Amino acid sequence: MVCLGNICRSPLAEGIMQHLVEQNGLDWQIDSAGTGNWHVGEGPDRRSTRAAGNHGIDISKQICRQFRQHDFGAFDLIMVMDKYNHSDVLAMAPDEEAAAKVKLLLDDKEVPDPYYDDDMFEPVFQLIEKGCLEIIKNYIVDNN
């Protein structure tokens, strides 16, 4: 799960997806990162932590990190929150196989960055949850 700073959207996405993976008994490795390095080593934004907590998900122990080229080898799927993240991550892809792993979480829609609007954290949570549920649903359908 990748966004710009790894403090708002991608920590929510990591927490939501981890929660759904555990609910569905899947053995997946979930992580998040940012394309920028401004918040490396910090925890998620308190508003993201609160939004997740309102849904019974604890993201408070996550530590922000920057997306690196080696992530292409570590993950089968790299979900990005918006088109800027998409192009930034694609620019790092070492080959076409790696580039094919990079997808927008909401297919052709973007997850807006809630950083400058406190009222956006709950709607962003809902959008991310919808995208994560779709990934789980598609995986279960494809593997049954």
Side-chain angles (χ1 to χ4, degrees):
M1 303 296 185
V2 181
C3 70
L4 183 62
N6 193 215
I7 60 169
C8 294
R9 296 172 290 176
S10 56
L12 279 172
E14 177 184 348
I16 292 166
M17 185 59 89
Q18 187 63 50
H19 180 74
L20 294 171
V21 161
E22 290 168 6
Q23 282 186 329
N24 286 279
L26 301 171
D27 184 24
W28 292 2
Q29 178 185 352
I30 312 298
D31 199 1
S32 63
T35 56
N37 65 0
W38 310 279
H39 302 287
V40 170
E42 297 177 15
D45 186 289
R46 62 177 168 68
R47 298 165 296 174
S48 286
T49 302
R50 183 173 41 244
N54 289 342
H55 295 272
I57 300 171
D58 181 9
I59 65 170
S60 65
K61 293 177 181 49
Q62 292 181 24
I63 303 296
C64 301
R65 70 178 189 87
Q66 188 172 15
F67 185 84
R68 298 284 184 211
Q69 192 174 42
H70 74 268
D71 288 323
F72 288 104
F75 298 99
D76 297 326
L77 191 57
I78 298 168
M79 304 306 294
V80 298
M81 301 298 128
D82 63 38
K83 292 175 183 172
Y84 293 109
N85 307 143
H86 190 260
S87 62
D88 287 346
V89 171
L90 280 180
M92 296 175 66
D95 54 40
E96 289 298 316
E97 183 180 341
K101 296 178 178 186
V102 183
K103 303 189 183 319
L104 283 167
L105 178 66
L106 300 177
D107 292 323
D108 61 341
K109 290 199 260 179
E110 297 180 304
V111 177
D113 190 345
Y115 186 79
Y116 294 105
D117 185 351
D118 292 354
D119 294 333
M120 283 300 296
F121 282 83
E122 182 59 29
V124 162
F125 181 97
Q126 299 296 328
L127 286 171
I128 291 171
E129 183 179 49
K130 181 180 176 186
C132 290
L133 283 166
E134 193 65 26
I135 292 169
I136 298 282
K137 179 181 133 195
N138 289 338
Y139 174 80
I140 290 171
V141 167
D142 290 348
N143 288 288
N144 282 332

